[in-house]
Structures are given as structure tokens and as C-alpha cells.
């Protein structure tokens, strides 16, 4: 019977940690420099968090300011703002840090 069932492994999830990391990057101008070398979009479980992190990376690589407004604008430009939770969710992410 054990040969009939496949073991399905679910990657570790720490949604609250993901939220706090993204929020910290948006409120601390030095945070992306600290985590940029160790994190990638694939480190995030939620697709919305992957998209937000891609935007954060892009802003950082282009030496643009990283804050809620610039992240919102870039997500809007990429037509991903709604699927990433909207402006309200971006604000909630920064509140997770506090």
C-alpha cells in the first residue's frame, strides 16, 4: 500500500517572515543591500511575494528609491498590482515590520 502513494513534499513556508522581509526592504533604504545577495524571488513561497521582490530587485539594480510609492508604480506598470494585493497590501507589509 505504501508503494501506491507518492510522498508529496511541500516546501517550507514562512509567510509572516516573507511579509516582514518585504516590508523591511520598503521602509529601510539599506535593507536591499543587506539581503540582495542572499535572497532571490524563488526564496518566496507566495507568487505575489515573488513578484514584489522582483520589483524591489529591479529598483535596487537601477539605483531607484525603494518605497511603497515606487513599488506600487512599478507593479502597476507591470500590470501586477492587483494580483499582488494592491496598495493596501503593500502598506500592510510595512506594518508587519513594526
Amino acid at each position: 500500500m505504501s508503494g501506491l502513494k507518492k510522498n508529496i513534499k511541500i516546501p517550507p513556508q514562512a509567510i509572516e517572515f516573507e511579509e516582514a522581509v518585504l516590508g523591511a526592504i520598503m521602509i529601510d533604504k539599506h535593507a536591499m543591500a543587506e539581503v540582495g545577495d542572499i535572497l532571490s524571488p524563488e526564496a518566496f513561497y507566495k507568487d505575489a511575494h515573488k513578484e514584489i521582490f522582483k520589483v524591489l530587485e529591479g529598483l535596487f539594480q537601477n539605483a531607484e528609491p525603494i518605497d511603497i510609492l515606487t513599488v506600487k508604480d512599478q507593479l502597476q506598470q507591470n500590470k501586477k498590482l492587483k494580483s499582488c494585493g494592491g496598495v493596501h497590501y503593500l502598506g500592510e507589509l510595512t506594518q508587519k515590520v513594526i
Side-chain angles (χ1 to χ4, degrees):
M1 187 164 183
S2 62
L4 297 176
K5 291 185 178 182
K6 290 185 177 182
N7 288 333
I8 299 173
K9 294 189 178 194
I10 298 173
Q13 303 172 41
I15 302 302
E16 295 84 15
F17 179 69
E18 291 183 10
E19 293 169 340
V21 167
L22 295 171
I25 294 170
M26 285 191 282
I27 61 173
D28 180 352
K29 64 181 179 179
H30 302 293
M32 192 63 187
E34 303 259 342
V35 300
D37 291 337
I38 55 175
L39 287 179
S40 69
E42 293 76 31
F44 295 88
Y45 181 76
K46 282 184 72 172
D47 289 337
H49 293 169
K50 289 177 186 180
E51 290 298 325
I52 293 168
F53 189 78
K54 287 178 191 176
V55 166
L56 296 170
E57 274 186 321
L59 291 169
F60 180 73
Q61 289 168 354
N62 292 326
E64 295 182 43
I66 297 174
D67 55 37
I68 293 176
L69 183 61
T70 57
V71 173
K72 175 200 72 93
D73 289 346
Q74 191 60 52
L75 286 170
Q76 214 165 22
Q77 213 170 35
N78 298 348
K79 299 186 184 335
K80 299 278 185 177
L81 182 61
K82 188 174 180 179
S83 66
C84 287
V87 178
H88 181 73
Y89 186 65
L90 294 177
E92 285 180 5
L93 291 176
T94 61
Q95 295 301 310
K96 300 285 181 170
V97 179
I98 301 168

